[in-house]
Structure formats: structure tokens, C-alpha cells
């Protein structure tokens, strides 16, 4: 992966030309400006950060505006390093509180919620993959409905963005799941009403569909364009709490010939998803297809897009058949143990498997 | 959208000229590179690159619709909310009205099971007047295996819709709406479907049938590994064609034997590997859909036709709209008919396995397994 080079520590004293050139290279500057800086003798961050913009402009033969921009970048790099050293412990503590206070999106299957630590985590990118027909789109639709459960019913009260690359989103199915969700909320409210006189839930299935923003993506260029545009779109549409991409794979698998280029473009896309998740405190859910992979002398199923892509998601959930039941397996997560849980797809959406109470633990 | 010209997006002239000077003409050219690569190539600062990419991305992004407006459009503008009836009541109920518009629907099954019968019935249904549950349009039937029979289509029509077909000239009218193509090679097929895009809009085409997709590839005599990239373009094209034209596209697929070492396990499932191998030995006759996993991901609805214990069964193996159900059926002069409109729900990956009549009849053991 290409690094954009924000330094995390104070600049190291100049020891060799190669080191100095590397330092300058790490700033996101155009090649001609970088060349001018090096030829003017500004080869490390500290030397740049210690001059005024007018001096830099005169020495390197660049405009005042350009010099100011360079100084800003250089100072950012230095300050980031300093700040992280001073505030590290506090940041970790703050992060703990932030993570504990974040709500999660229920999957409507409590067994699955349990192994996910309560549901799909906001501020994370979660990948869900599996074989054809295992229920990936069902999960995507279920999450786009569940994210809208009002806060008083234990939900987020947010909206959903559904990016459909395969044409799999069937609005009739979304309506079925929305209707079932409304009925469940009415039952929940009815129960709570006896004790708390809670306000009546006013949501209707049509309201739930209204809050799902649907984009039909027909090429990888459109997919890249839309991901670039999401930040602006989400800024303009408040309360989006989940972005679902169904699937991340399709166009890159069919249309892309240059695999090295594909890897670079996908990496950049992954970084943008992570940035979105952190900035807006929303969940990004990427659905993935499967492929076969030769490993240890035999072929095995693996999620598509290869090993480079494997690093791009915070959490990875693999859906598979175990006997006659659908199962989900936590394949990768920094905060969740590996575990599996069964689930089923019913006319009302994702639910616990009917035999979950008596199933044998095989994993 | 991918081929939208950067020069016509309204980008600032200076930046637009820099892109053009480096031969970056379309949105696809610009967005296929990372921001860092663009910065290097164009010799422009990162700030300008990000601003330009943001502008190009917004111009290239597909439009946003709410799911509600999607539903409303379907209900208002499309016949039966965007479905083609199969006239098999149980199946139509399961699929919310019939074969959906805008997506690929696949029929897969062993030879002689009834896939082509099903397709011919659909072609008839699409050509019929709206008053009789049809789409009142034309059908393009790509007949790779030479299984299409005009005589059979008319026979089905006479038996299924006697009140229509006995009207003077109606048989000719209905049959005349079905256009049959017989491509002789993959290249020939590619050429034909590329011409379809304009033709579909201009000629009121309401259904595209490809019977079968597999035959096109097996005739090319190339190693299996190359089939996936070869199919990639066709998969993308057909899906966008269905979407763009808002028609159903029905594709048939053949079956093949499931290899003993067939991949169906992830690495973390190694613990049950031995058990799986044991099971495999007793199912030497198992068949699976041809064309592989990549193709299976591309179809939205998969209907499996099989014979089991002497009984023909149609299974909804993959569908975003319904649970996996199985319906017994038989073939009459009127085409395929369900023996029961109440489907049996199936559990487990068996929904994707395919039984052939010969094997099941010969070995009673298989008939007892389910």
C-alpha cells in the first residue's frame, strides 16, 4: 500500500540524502514542487517547519500560496507526532468510553447479535461474505431496516444507504421485512406500555422504505465515483447510520483486467470507507462473494478479491452451511473472539434458527 | 456514466486542460487511478486533485432513489409490479407475481427435465395480451441448442389459452411475436446481444431467453479455468441490459457432475473435512449447476428442475424474495403444470444439489434420502 506519510514522531536529524529524500517524498506534494524544495536545500520536515512562508517562497522559487500550503502540511506532520505522544493514554481511555457508548445495529437474530457483541458495530467496516444463496442480501436488507428502529425501542433511529452493484435488492422483500419489523416494534411497545406509558410508535412500512437511499451502480467507475461522493451526500442527509454495499465484488471481478491497479484502487476505496465510518459514526457493511483458492495442497472456498483486500475490513463474517443450517463465523475481528452462530431466513427476515436451543456446538 | 467526458463536466478550464493533456478523457480514466497516482501524473497539488476528483465523482455517481420511490414506480409503471407470470400459481405467489423484471433468472437442470418447455411457455406468456396475463410484447429467444419448437409453442397456446388461440389469426399473431436467433459460436452470440440494446427499446421486446448459456462455452473447447474471465463480460452486459431495459432475462444452465474433491469448505471448516469426504462417496451421482461460483453469484433467481424418485420437482434455490421451496410438477400438452401450489420448504445446501431421474430410479437408496 502506498502511504500518504503523516509522520508520527519528531523529524529525525539529517543523516543521508536517501533518508532526506524519503522524508520529503512522504508529503503529498506534486513532483515539481518537491523537486524545487530539495534543490533549495529543504530536505527534511524540521527545516521546512522552521522557516517563514515568504522565505520558503523566495528560496524555492514558488508562490506564497504554495509555500503556505507546504508549511501547513509540514507542521501538521510534526504536530501530529507531538500530540500523540502527549495525549496517548488519555486517547485510549476516551476511546474506551466512546466504544462502550456506541449503539449497535441488531441483525434480528439474537444468536448472531451475541457473537457480534450486540450487533453490527458503528465506526467499523464489516465484511460479510458467503456462497450464492446463503442470505447475504437478506442481511443487507435486514440491516437497512433495523438501523431505523427508534432509540426508544433500543435502536439508532438512523437511515440507510444501500449501494446495489448486482441488482439484487428487491423492494418487495424490503417491504416484507419492514412490515415484520413494524409489527415487532408494536409488540415491543405494547409490552413496554404497561410499565412506562411509552409514546406510541408511529412508523409505517412506507416510512422505513423512504429512509433507505438506494443507488444502482452499473460499473466499477460508478462505484468508485459514488464512494468518493458519499462524504458529501452523508453530510447533506443527516442521520445516515449504515452504508451497505451489495456486493463490493461484482464489478471489480467482472470488469477489471489490471489486477495490480485493481488492488490499489480497492485499497483507496477501503480507506475511504474507514474514514466515513469514523467521521460520521456509521456502520459500513460490505457484502462479498466467494471464490476458490488453492492452499495447502487442496482447493478451499475463500472470500473474493484476494489477500490484499483481506486487510481492508475491521471485522469479517463468513456465512456457510453446516449440515442443514445457515451459520455465521467471526473470521476476523480485533475485539471479538472467533465464534459461530446459526441463523435462518424466514418470510419475516433474519431470525434465530428454530433449533438453536438444542443445537450441538461443533465449532 | 463511466464514459462521461471530463471536458464537458464543467470542471475549471485549467484543470480540465491538464487532464486532457495527459490523455485522461473520461471519468473512467480518472477514477481508475488513486489520488496519489493522479498527483504524480498530472504534476498538480493534492488539494487540486481532491477537488477535481470530488467534482468528477459527483458528476459520475448514479442517482439516489429511496426504496419507497422504487416500490411506487414498480407498482405504477410496470405490469404486476414488474413481474412476468409463469401461470404456475404456487411459483408466481412465491416470486411475488412471477419472473421479475430487471434481473437474471436462471433455470438449471439435467437434460430432458423441462427447462426448454418452461422457457417456451414464458415466451408465450410474454407475447400474450395484457387481459390474459401477458406482457403484450415481443420475445427474443436465443436458441443455442436448437430446442425451440414452433409447433410445440402453438400446441401449448391452444391447450393453455383456447379462448385466445381459436380466434382467427391469433396463433399467427402470437407466434409471430417470438423472434428466434440461433448463434453458432460465442463470438456470434456476443455480436447478437450487442445489437439487442437498441432493438429492445425500438421493438417492444418484453422478454429475452437464452437457452442455454452453457452450450455457448462448452463448444469453445477451452480449459475450465478460462471460462470465468470469458463469461465476465457477458454477465455484466446481460445484467445491465436487464436493468436498462426493465425486462426479465431468463437463462438456462446445464448440469455437471460434482467432483469428489469439489470445493465447498472454508479453511476454518477443516475439522469436519473427513466427515464431508465420507458423505461425498455415497453421492457419486450428485450433479451441480455448471459455470461455477462466479456465475451463481450473478444470477438473482435460480430455479432448479430435477427428478427425484420418479417425481419431477422445481425448486426455488436462490431468490431474495422467498424461502427455498420445492414444487412437484409434470409436463402436459399445455406445458409445465404444478401438481401442488403449496411448496415444501427445504433446508440446507441440498437446495442446490440436483438429482437426475435415471440415477434415482435405479438406486432406491437415493430415493430415501432428503
Amino acid at each position: 500500500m502506498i502511504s500518504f506519510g503523516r509522520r508520527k514522531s519528531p523529524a529525525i536529524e539529517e543523516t543521508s540524502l536517501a533518508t532526506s529524500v524519503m522524508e520529503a517524498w512522504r508529503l503529498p506534494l506534486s513532483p515539481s514542487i518537491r523537486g524545487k524544495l530539495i534543490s533549495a536545500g529543504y530536505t527534511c520536515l524540521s527545516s521546512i517547519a522552521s522557516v517563514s512562508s515568504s522565505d520558503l517562497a523566495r528560496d524555492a522559487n514558488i508562490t506564497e500560496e504554495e509555500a503556505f500550503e507546504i508549511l501547513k502540511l509540514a507542521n501538521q506532520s510534526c504536530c501530529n507526532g507531538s500530540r500523540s505522544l502527549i495525549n496517548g493514554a488519555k486517547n485510549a481511555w476516551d476511546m474506551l468510553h466512546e466504544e462502550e457508548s456506541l449503539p449497535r445495529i441488531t441483525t434480528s437474530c439474537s444468536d448472531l447479535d451475541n457473537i457480534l457483541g450486540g450487533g453490527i458495530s458503528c465506526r467499523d467496516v464489516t465484511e460479510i461474505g458467503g456462497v450464492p444463496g446463503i442470505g447475504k442480501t437478506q442481511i443487507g436488507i435486514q440491516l437497512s431496516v433495523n438501523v431505523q428502529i427508534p432509540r426508544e425501542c433500543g435502536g439508532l433511529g438512523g437511515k440507510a444507504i444501500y449501494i446495489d452493484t448486482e441488482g439484487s435488492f428487491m423492494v418487495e422483500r424490503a417491504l416484507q421485512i419492514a412490515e415484520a419489523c413494524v409489527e415487532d416494534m408494536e409488540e415491543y411497545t405494547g409490552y413496554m406500555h404497561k410499565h412506562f406509558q411509552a409514546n406510541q410508535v408511529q412508523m409505517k412500512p412506507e416510512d422505513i422504505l423512504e429512509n433507505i437511499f438506494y443507488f444502482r451502480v452499473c460499473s466499477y467507475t460508478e462505484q468508485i465515483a459514488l464512494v468518493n461522493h458519499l462524504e458529501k451526500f452523508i453530510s447533506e442527509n443527516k442521520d445516515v447510520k449504515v452504508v451497505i454495499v451489495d456486493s463490493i465484488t461484482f464489478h471489480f471481478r467482472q470488469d477489471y483486467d489490471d489486477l495490480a491497479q485493481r488492488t490499489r484502487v480497492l485499497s483507496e476505496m477501503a480507506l475511504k470507507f474507514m474514514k466515513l465510518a469514523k467521521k460520521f459514526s456509521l456502520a459500513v457493511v460490505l457484502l462479498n462473494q466467494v471464490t476458490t483458492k488453492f492452499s495447502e495442497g487442496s482447493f478451499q472456498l475463500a472470500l473474493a478479491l484476494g489477500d490484499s483486500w483481506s486487510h481492508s475490513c475491521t471485522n469479517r463474517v463468513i456465512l456457510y452451511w453446516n449440515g442443514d443450517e445457515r451459520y455465521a463465523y467471526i473470521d476476523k475481528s480485533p475485539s471479538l473472539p472467533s465464534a459461530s452462530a446459526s441463523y435462518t431466513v424466514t418470510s419475516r427476515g433474519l431470525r434465530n434458527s428454530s433449533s438453536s436451543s438444542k443445537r450441538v456446538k461443533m465449532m | 456514466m463511466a464514459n462521461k467526458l471530463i471536458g464537458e463536466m464543467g470542471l475549471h478550464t485549467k484543470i480540465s486542460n491538464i487532464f486532457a493533456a495527459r490523455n485522461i478523457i473520461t471519468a473512467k480514466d480518472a477514477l481508475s487511478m488513486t489520488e496519489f497516482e493522479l498527483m504524480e501524473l498530472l504534476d498538480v497539488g493534492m488539494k487540486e486533485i481532491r477537488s477535481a476528483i470530488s467534482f468528477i465523482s459527483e458528476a459520475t455517481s448514479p442517482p439516489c432513489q429511496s426504496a419507497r420511490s422504487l416500490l411506487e414506480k414498480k407498482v405504477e409503471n410496470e405490469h404486476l409490479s414488474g413481474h412476468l407470470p409463469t401461470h404456475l400459481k404456487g411459483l408466481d405467489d412465491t416470486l411475488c407475481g412471477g419472473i421479475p423484471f430487471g434481473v437474471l433468472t436462471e433455470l438449471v437442470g439435467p437434460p430432458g427435465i423441462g427447462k426448454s418447455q418452461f422457457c417456451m411457455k414464458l415466451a408465450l406468456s410474454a407475447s400474450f395480451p395484457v387481459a390474459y396475463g401477458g406482457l403484450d410484447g415481443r420475445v427474443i429467444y436465443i436458441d443455442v441448442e436448437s430446442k425451440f419448437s414452433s409447433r410445440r409453442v402453438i400446441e401449448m397456446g391452444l391447450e393453455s389459452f383456447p379462448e385466445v388461440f381459436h380466434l382467427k389469426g391469433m396463433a399467427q399473431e402470437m407466434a409471430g411475436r417470438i423472434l428466434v436467433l440461433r448463434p453458432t459460436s460465442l463470438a456470434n452470440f456476443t455480436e447478437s446481444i450487442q445489437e439487442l440494446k437498441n432493438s429492445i427499446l425500438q421493438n417492444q421486446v418484453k422478454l429475452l431467453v437464452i437457452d442455454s448459456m452453457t452450450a455457448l462455452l462448452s463448444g469453445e473447447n477451452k480449459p475450465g479455468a478460462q471460462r470465468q474471465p470469458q463469461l465476465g463480460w457477458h454477465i455484466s452486459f446481460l445484467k445491465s441490459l436487464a436493468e436498462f431495459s426493465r425486462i426479465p432475462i431468463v437463462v438456462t444452465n446445464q448440469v455437471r457432475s460434482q467432483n469428489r474433491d469439489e470445493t465447498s469448505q472454508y479453511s476454518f471448516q477443516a475439522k469436519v473435512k473427513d466427515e464431508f469426504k465420507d458423505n461425498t462417496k455415497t453421492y457419486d451421482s450428485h450433479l451441480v449447476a455448471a459455470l461455477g461460483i462466479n456465475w451463481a453469484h450473478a444470477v438473482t433467481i435460480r430455479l432448479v428442475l430435477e427428478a427425484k424418485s420418479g417425481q419431477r420437482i422445481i425448486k426455488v434455490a436462490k431468490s431474495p424474495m422467498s424461502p427455498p421451496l420445492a414444487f412437484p410438477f409434470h409436463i402436459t400438452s399445455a406445458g409445465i403444470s404444478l401438481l401442488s401450489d403449496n411448496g415444501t420448504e427445504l433446508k440446507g445446501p441440498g437446495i442446490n444439489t440436483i438429482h437426475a431421474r435415471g440415477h434415482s430410479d435405479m438406486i432406491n437408496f437415493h430415493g430415501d434420502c432428503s
Side-chain angles (χ1 to χ4, degrees), chain A residues 2-4 6 25 27-34 69 129-133 136-138 141 165-176 206-207 209-222 224-229 232-233 250-251 253-256 261 264-265 268 272 288-292 298-303 318-326 329 331 345 347 354 362-363, chain B residues 1-3 27-29 31-37 39-41 43-47 50 53-54 56-58 60-72 74 81-83 96 100-103 228-229 231-233 235-236 239-240 243 261-273 275 293-294 296-298 300-302 317-324 345 347-352 370:
Chain A
I2 298 173
S3 167
F4 288 92
R6 308 280 182 195
W25 176 85
L27 289 178
L29 299 171
S30 67
S32 68
I33 289 182
R34 193 184 310 133
E69 197 65 30
V131 297
K136 299 186 294 297
T137 298
Q138 303 297 312
I141 295 176
T165 70
E166 297 182 359
S168 299
F169 183 86
M170 305 302 284
V171 71
E172 298 91 342
R173 179 58 169 161
L175 183 61
Q176 284 176 12
E206 291 77 20
D207 300 325
L209 296 187
E210 183 73 26
N211 289 329
I212 299 174
F213 300 114
Y214 175 84
F215 294 86
R216 177 68 173 103
V217 163
C218 294
S219 68
Y220 71 81
T221 303
E222 284 187 7
I224 296 167
L226 180 54
V227 171
N228 289 339
H229 178 55
K232 183 178 180 186
F233 182 87
F250 182 74
H251 292 299
R253 198 172 183 181
Q254 315 298 353
D255 299 330
Y256 230 112
Q261 183 72 24
R264 288 196 292 276
V265 168
E268 190 175 58
K272 289 180 176 174
N288 198 353
Q289 300 177 345
V290 298
T291 186
T292 56
S298 67
F299 285 99
Q300 291 172 326
L301 286 177
L303 298 197
I318 295 182
L319 311 176
Y320 65 103
W321 292 103
N322 187 7
D324 276 356
E325 288 192 328
R326 291 176 163 88
Y329 174 71
D331 186 54
V345 179
S347 59
S354 57
M362 296 180 65
M363 309 298 297
Chain B
M1 291 299 230
N3 295 325
K28 179 173 180 174
D29 299 332
L31 297 176
S32 297
M33 303 172 74
T34 65
E35 289 173 355
F36 201 85
E37 286 165 355
M39 185 186 72
E40 291 273 323
L41 179 68
D43 192 20
V44 174
M46 179 59 80
K47 189 176 170 185
R50 286 207 172 126
I53 289 297
S54 178
I56 293 170
S57 295
E58 186 167 1
T60 310
S61 290
C64 172
Q65 296 177 279
S66 72
R68 181 178 192 170
S69 67
L70 264 188
L71 181 67
E72 286 167 351
K74 270 197 154 187
S81 300
H83 295 90
C96 298
F101 295 0
V103 299
Q228 301 272 341
L231 256 194
W233 180 86
I235 290 174
S236 286
K239 281 173 84 73
S240 65
E243 186 84 23
D261 59 354
E262 183 86 16
T263 305
S264 61
Q265 300 261 315
Y266 296 93
S267 55
F268 62 84
Q269 288 179 283
K271 294 177 182 177
V272 295
K273 205 165 186 179
E275 180 182 338
I293 288 177
N294 197 16
H297 276 301
T300 300
I301 292 180
R302 168 173 273 182
K318 182 190 180 194
S319 165
M321 298 184 289
S322 62
E345 181 163 354
K347 293 186 175 182
I351 192 73
N352 290 301
S370 64

Side-chain angles (χ1 to χ4, degrees), chain B residues 125-201:
Chain B
S125 180
S127 64
F128 256 55
V130 172
Y132 296 98
L135 301 183
D136 201 26
R138 282 198 167 88
V139 176
I140 293 179
Y141 199 112
I142 298 181
D143 183 26
V144 186
E145 299 176 3
S146 298
K147 289 180 174 173
F148 182 86
S149 165
S150 298
R151 187 186 310 274
R152 177 64 172 139
V153 167
I154 293 174
E155 180 188 26
M156 286 184 186
L158 286 171
E159 293 294 327
S160 303
F161 310 102
E163 67 275 18
V164 177
F165 260 64
H166 285 107
L167 295 176
K168 187 177 182 181
M170 190 57 70
Q172 180 179 349
E173 170 70 20
M174 293 298 106
R177 294 182 174 181
I178 302 173
L179 311 172
V180 183
L181 287 164
R182 289 199 162 125
T184 54
S185 69
L186 184 62
N188 192 201
F189 169 73
T190 303
E191 189 180 325
S192 295
I193 62 176
Q194 280 175 316
E195 294 173 16
L196 283 179
K197 200 153 195 176
N198 292 330
S199 177
I200 283 175
L201 287 182

Side-chain angles (χ1 to χ4, degrees), chain A residues 316-359:
Chain A
R316 169 175 268 198
V317 179
I318 295 182
L319 311 176
Y320 65 103
W321 292 103
N322 187 7
D324 276 356
E325 288 192 328
R326 291 176 163 88
Y327 268 76
Y329 174 71
I330 307 293
D331 186 54
K332 175 196 168 193
S333 173
S335 56
L336 301 167
S338 286
S340 64
S342 65
Y343 68 97
T344 187
V345 179
T346 72
S347 59
R348 299 170 62 80
L350 222 70
R351 293 294 185 270
N352 277 347
S353 169
S354 57
S355 65
S356 65
S357 58
K358 51 188 175 179
R359 78 176 181 277

Side-chain angles (χ1 to χ4, degrees), chain B residues 85-334:
Chain B
T86 66
H87 298 281
L88 305 174
K89 184 179 183 301
L91 186 62
D92 283 350
D93 289 346
T94 296
L95 297 176
C96 298
I99 306 293
F101 295 0
V103 299
L104 297 190
T105 299
E106 181 195 38
L107 301 178
V108 56
I113 194 68
K115 301 189 296 297
S116 296
Q117 303 288 313
F118 194 101
C119 289
M120 286 189 272
K121 187 67 174 286
L122 285 180
L124 206 54
S125 180
S127 64
F128 256 55
V130 172
Y132 296 98
L135 301 183
D136 201 26
R138 282 198 167 88
V139 176
I140 293 179
Y141 199 112
I142 298 181
D143 183 26
V144 186
E145 299 176 3
S146 298
K147 289 180 174 173
F148 182 86
S149 165
S150 298
R151 187 186 310 274
R152 177 64 172 139
V153 167
I154 293 174
E155 180 188 26
M156 286 184 186
L158 286 171
E159 293 294 327
S160 303
F161 310 102
E163 67 275 18
V164 177
F165 260 64
H166 285 107
L167 295 176
K168 187 177 182 181
M170 190 57 70
Q172 180 179 349
E173 170 70 20
M174 293 298 106
R177 294 182 174 181
I178 302 173
L179 311 172
V180 183
L181 287 164
R182 289 199 162 125
T184 54
S185 69
L186 184 62
N188 192 201
F189 169 73
T190 303
E191 189 180 325
S192 295
I193 62 176
Q194 280 175 316
E195 294 173 16
L196 283 179
K197 200 153 195 176
N198 292 330
S199 177
I200 283 175
L201 287 182
Q202 293 167 8
N203 296 291
Q204 294 294 311
V205 174
K206 295 298 173 68
L207 171 68
L208 170 61
V209 177
I210 303 173
D211 180 17
S212 72
M213 199 74 187
T214 331
L216 287 167
L217 294 176
S218 45
E220 297 285 303
N221 274 330
K222 289 186 177 179
Q226 293 188 24
R227 288 195 190 183
Q228 301 272 341
Q230 200 172 40
L231 256 194
W233 180 86
H234 299 86
I235 290 174
S236 286
F237 184 86
L238 289 173
K239 281 173 84 73
S240 65
L241 183 65
E243 186 84 23
F244 171 71
S245 312
R246 295 304 303 166
I247 62 169
I249 295 185
V250 177
V251 181
T252 70
N253 191 3
Q254 298 171 352
V255 297
R256 60 176 174 82
S257 299
Q258 181 171 33
N259 298 325
R260 192 157 301 178
D261 59 354
E262 183 86 16
T263 305
S264 61
Q265 300 261 315
Y266 296 93
S267 55
F268 62 84
Q269 288 179 283
K271 294 177 182 177
V272 295
K273 205 165 186 179
D274 292 337
E275 180 182 338
F276 181 74
K277 281 182 178 176
D278 290 341
N279 288 335
T280 302
K281 291 176 183 175
T282 60
Y283 287 102
D284 282 354
S285 64
H286 262 209
L287 304 169
V288 294
L291 299 180
I293 288 177
N294 197 16
W295 169 259
H297 276 301
V299 301
T300 300
I301 292 180
R302 168 173 273 182
L303 305 177
V304 170
L305 281 69
E306 66 174 4
K308 194 175 183 181
S309 306
Q311 176 68 65
R312 294 177 196 249
I313 294 172
I314 185 167
K315 303 191 292 192
V316 183
K318 182 190 180 194
S319 165
M321 298 184 289
S322 62
L325 296 178
F327 301 87
F329 74 92
H330 68 327
I331 300 180
T332 67
S333 56

Side-chain angles (χ1 to χ4, degrees), chain A residues 76-93:
Chain A
Q76 274 178 14
S77 299
C78 291
C79 287
N80 281 345
S82 301
R83 248 199 335 255
S84 70
L85 289 178
I86 293 174
N87 298 327
K90 183 179 178 182
N91 280 344
W93 186 252

